[in-house]
Amino acid sequence: MRHPFQCLQACCIPGSPWGWVLLAAAGSRINLFALSDGTLLSTLDIGTLIAAHDGSQLAQPTERDEGDEPPEKRQKTSDDSISDQRAATILTLTATRDCRYVVVVTGEDKCIRVFRFQDDGHLHLLSARCMPKRPCAIAITPNDSTILCADKFGDVYSLPLHPPQQPISEDTKAGSSGSETPSTPKRFVPSANNLTVHTARNLRALENQLRATNKPSEKTGPNFEHQLLLGHVSMLTDITYVELDASASPHGKLCSYILTADRDEHIRVSRGPPQAHIIEAFCLSHKEFVSKLCIPHWLPMTLISGGGDGLLYVWSWAKGSALQKFDMKPLADEYISIHVPGGRDFTEQAYPTAGEPAVSRGSPVVGGGGDAKHGDVQSDGKAHEPARIHKLVVSGIWSIPPAEFDFLNKDTEGKSQGGDILVSCEGVSALFIFTLTTGSVLIYRDSIPLEGNILNVTRFGDKPSIIVSVDTIHQCGSTNLTRGPLSQEAAMLQVLSRSSGGSWSSDSTANWVGALNRRGSFEIKAKAFQALGDLLYKYQNLRKQEYEE
């Protein structure tokens, strides 16, 4: 079985002979494809970069005291290679608006790397900056000058996309991080000395004390330009940045805002730099952690959020007021596979609560129903009213702007009524299509079943088209059951297009997608399935345990 693509990013590189290209990340590797014919332009392994950097430091001499034994030459072992691959696992991959640079976030080494697209189809590393804490999400400002990094300790930092050539000094670093650490720490001087110590044992103890206390500190902060903007008291899960002109801004002038979501069900609206310490509003309605934020380009004052409670919310984020709630559970239940210990797998059915209206396509849903009522699973494996074992999580929200030829989304005067909102849930093998009208009303339209659980989505081309990455290792509707050796392998990438009537379907004209599926990724061994599951399905681990409530 081949490693699925956990991250996708389509770009139209200016001045390149290939036009639209696709960046697809599998594990620690980034494949660059030309979407015109599916040609594999290049492959970059982040683990190789880390190994090359570590290898350059293996032969460097170290200071040692006289009489010490010479240090043994360090050999690079297979454990080091495994560690490099684990540290190089790609968590986030995003391109700048001008499609000239791509920002990559890797896992264990907490590093943010910036690459530049080259004319020969390769990626050139410009900078690598390791953050103090592990980044969870990033956002790039519209002018492509600043990276906003949200980390697992609840802090948001700003970094220039292109750092200065020379490293930042200790005094400047202390000022940017808000600390007052002196540039040269005071040397420790014990009260005893060689004249007051009279035994050989005490003399050795004094020498060891001097040697241990005056060693330079191994734990140092980042030596690059970075600024702490704001902080939560909980782990951050997503971040988005929006700029409003004078006509749309509530303050009547050009303003910027940072919206952050955390594990404690909070969505905070803060002003942009340099006033990020000012909180404008909170959006509070989710019952569990908030997993995704999305601000459509055609409605910059509207926010769509999803979380671990399986709910979608539509917000007027400037006021902190919820406009609409939509329950994803009735839609996703059809595609969730439940594994019964000692029994068989079955598909969970939806049982709406009493008095809850059924969801109908093409009609807005303003209210949200409660959890479905379920009974017990019988010993024979038959599910009369199965218990909900799979807790639903909204794992992705993408906005597709309205098209000029989309007659379905136009009113009688020919004006656009809004664009599409695409939603995926963790461990669900279907993409859910919504329409968001200019009145900020979310309307459910359709569900598109795919060959595997959805991992990521990216848009490309002038015609509204998307590329969907699916999980080829786990069974459809499951996050822990793997496919059997005799099961037919699913296509890693699938292409969907929107017709002139507004409906989404598989694009049969995209012949190049077959070449992408044949040439992409690499074989993965069964012993790595557990680590792969943790990489692909990370949101279930955010649920609080009983002692954390």
Side-chain angles (χ1 to χ4, degrees):
M1 294 183 179
R2 292 180 297 170
H3 196 297
F5 295 118
Q6 73 266 18
C7 297
L8 297 179
Q9 178 67 63
C11 304
C12 185
I13 305 177
S16 70
W18 308 288
W20 282 90
V21 299
L22 175 67
L23 291 163
S28 63
R29 302 183 186 182
I30 304 176
N31 294 328
L32 183 61
F33 298 99
L35 293 183
S36 57
D37 55 2
T39 302
L40 178 61
L41 301 177
S42 63
T43 299
L44 175 67
D45 193 343
I46 305 295
T48 303
L49 295 179
I50 297 178
H53 179 267
D54 293 344
S56 63
Q57 298 179 348
L58 296 182
Q60 293 182 1
T62 57
E63 297 182 359
R64 58 187 181 91
D65 298 331
E66 294 183 2
D68 292 346
E69 295 293 331
E72 297 181 359
K73 186 176 181 180
R74 182 174 180 266
Q75 301 290 333
K76 195 165 184 65
T77 63
S78 59
D79 293 339
D80 296 328
S81 300
I82 296 174
S83 178
D84 293 339
Q85 294 297 328
R86 187 181 299 111
T89 301
I90 297 171
L91 302 181
T92 304
L93 185 150
T94 184
T96 57
R97 178 170 292 189
D98 60 6
C99 293
R100 296 181 183 274
Y101 306 95
V102 59
V103 181
V104 178
V105 178
T106 49
E108 298 299 329
D109 62 348
K110 303 171 288 187
C111 193
I112 298 178
R113 293 177 172 86
V114 179
F115 296 87
R116 183 184 67 233
F117 289 104
Q118 291 185 316
D119 296 336
D120 58 356
H122 289 74
L123 295 175
H124 175 67
L125 178 63
L126 297 179
S127 63
R129 288 164 283 183
C130 293
M131 300 301 297
K133 304 299 179 182
R134 181 174 179 172
C136 298
I138 61 171
I140 303 177
T141 55
N143 59 2
D144 292 338
S145 63
T146 305
I147 302 173
L148 301 178
C149 172
D151 64 26
K152 66 178 296 183
F153 270 61
D155 295 329
V156 175
Y157 291 90
S158 66
L159 302 84
L161 182 67
H162 304 294
Q165 297 297 327
Q166 46 190 344
I168 189 171
S169 64
E170 289 292 332
D171 296 334
T172 307
K173 180 176 64 175
S176 63
S177 60
S179 61
E180 299 181 356
T181 305
S183 57
T184 55
K186 185 177 180 180
R187 184 179 178 84
F188 171 75
V189 179
S191 57
N193 54 48
N194 296 338
L195 300 178
T196 59
V197 174
H198 303 289
T199 63
R201 181 177 178 180
N202 290 341
L203 183 61
R204 287 194 302 269
L206 177 62
E207 293 174 351
N208 292 334
Q209 186 180 20
L210 289 172
R211 188 182 298 114
T213 54
N214 288 321
K215 281 185 177 180
S217 176
E218 297 179 358
K219 194 172 183 179
T220 58
N223 61 346
F224 51 83
E225 181 181 349
H226 65 290
Q227 182 180 5
L228 178 63
L229 298 181
L230 58 93
H232 287 230
V233 294
S234 177
M235 172 183 176
L236 293 178
T237 55
D238 203 7
I239 182 173
T240 186
Y241 181 87
V242 61
E243 286 185 351
L244 301 177
D245 55 21
S247 60
S249 172
H251 301 285
K253 60 180 180 179
L254 179 65
C255 295
S256 62
Y257 298 89
I258 300 174
L259 282 72
T260 48
D262 65 21
R263 192 187 177 203
D264 285 343
E265 308 95 31
H266 300 150
I267 301 175
R268 181 195 294 185
V269 180
S270 307
R271 291 188 184 180
Q275 296 180 320
H277 60 281
I278 300 178
I279 301 175
E280 289 286 338
F282 282 96
C283 300
L284 306 175
S285 283
H286 281 281
K287 302 304 180 183
E288 292 200 45
F289 62 88
V290 183
S291 54
K292 282 296 176 181
L293 302 176
C294 177
I295 297 180
H297 298 296
W298 66 92
L299 285 176
M301 297 299 296
T302 301
L303 169 69
I304 303 175
S305 66
D309 50 10
L311 298 176
L312 287 178
Y313 277 92
V314 182
W315 305 87
S316 174
W317 56 263
K319 301 177 181 178
S321 59
L323 306 177
Q324 184 181 353
K325 179 175 71 171
F326 190 95
D327 191 357
M328 294 295 298
K329 299 183 185 73
L331 301 180
D333 280 341
E334 180 182 354
Y335 304 97
I336 296 177
S337 176
I338 304 300
H339 178 67
V340 182
R344 62 180 180 86
D345 292 343
F346 61 92
T347 302
E348 182 179 342
Q349 303 295 328
Y351 297 92
T353 57
E356 179 183 355
V359 178
S360 59
R361 296 186 181 181
S363 61
V365 178
V366 179
D371 290 337
K373 292 182 178 179
H374 299 279
D376 295 329
V377 179
Q378 303 299 322
S379 58
D380 57 358
K382 296 181 180 180
H384 300 284
E385 284 189 352
R388 178 179 295 279
I389 302 175
H390 188 287
K391 292 186 177 181
L392 197 66
V393 181
V394 176
S395 59
I397 305 175
W398 301 270
S399 61
I400 307 295
E404 294 297 328
F405 56 83
D406 193 346
F407 299 101
L408 180 66
N409 290 337
K410 292 181 181 293
D411 58 16
T412 56
E413 298 180 358
K415 297 181 180 179
S416 174
Q417 290 186 344
D420 290 340
I421 300 296
L422 313 181
V423 179
S424 69
C425 297
E426 191 171 73
V428 177
S429 59
L431 187 66
F432 304 102
I433 312 297
F434 296 82
T435 294
L436 183 66
T437 67
T438 54
S440 298
V441 178
L442 195 64
I443 302 175
Y444 169 65
R445 289 173 52 190
D446 200 3
S447 300
I448 302 178
L450 299 173
E451 298 181 16
N453 301 331
I454 296 176
L455 301 178
N456 211 327
V457 174
T458 185
R459 183 199 173 195
F460 75 98
D462 298 329
K463 177 184 177 181
S465 300
I466 59 173
I467 303 176
V468 184
S469 172
V470 301
D471 185 2
T472 58
I473 302 297
H474 298 86
Q475 296 181 14
C476 293
S478 176
T479 59
N480 55 0
L481 299 178
T482 58
R483 299 172 185 258
L486 301 180
S487 61
Q488 183 178 2
E489 187 172 3
M492 303 176 61
L493 299 174
Q494 301 178 34
V495 179
L496 303 177
S497 296
R498 186 172 65 186
S499 65
S500 58
S503 61
W504 289 84
S505 61
S506 178
D507 191 348
S508 58
T509 62
N511 300 323
W512 43 264
V513 70
L516 265 64
N517 287 316
R518 290 191 301 269
R519 299 169 183 170
S521 194
F522 54 92
E523 294 292 330
I524 182 173
K525 297 181 180 180
K527 63 181 181 180
F529 285 174
Q530 178 63 40
L532 178 63
D534 296 337
L535 171 65
L536 302 181
Y537 305 110
K538 57 185 179 181
Y539 290 111
Q540 294 292 349
N541 295 330
L542 296 180
R543 296 193 184 278
K544 295 182 179 179
Q545 306 299 323
E546 293 183 359
Y547 61 87
E548 295 181 285
E549 296 292 344

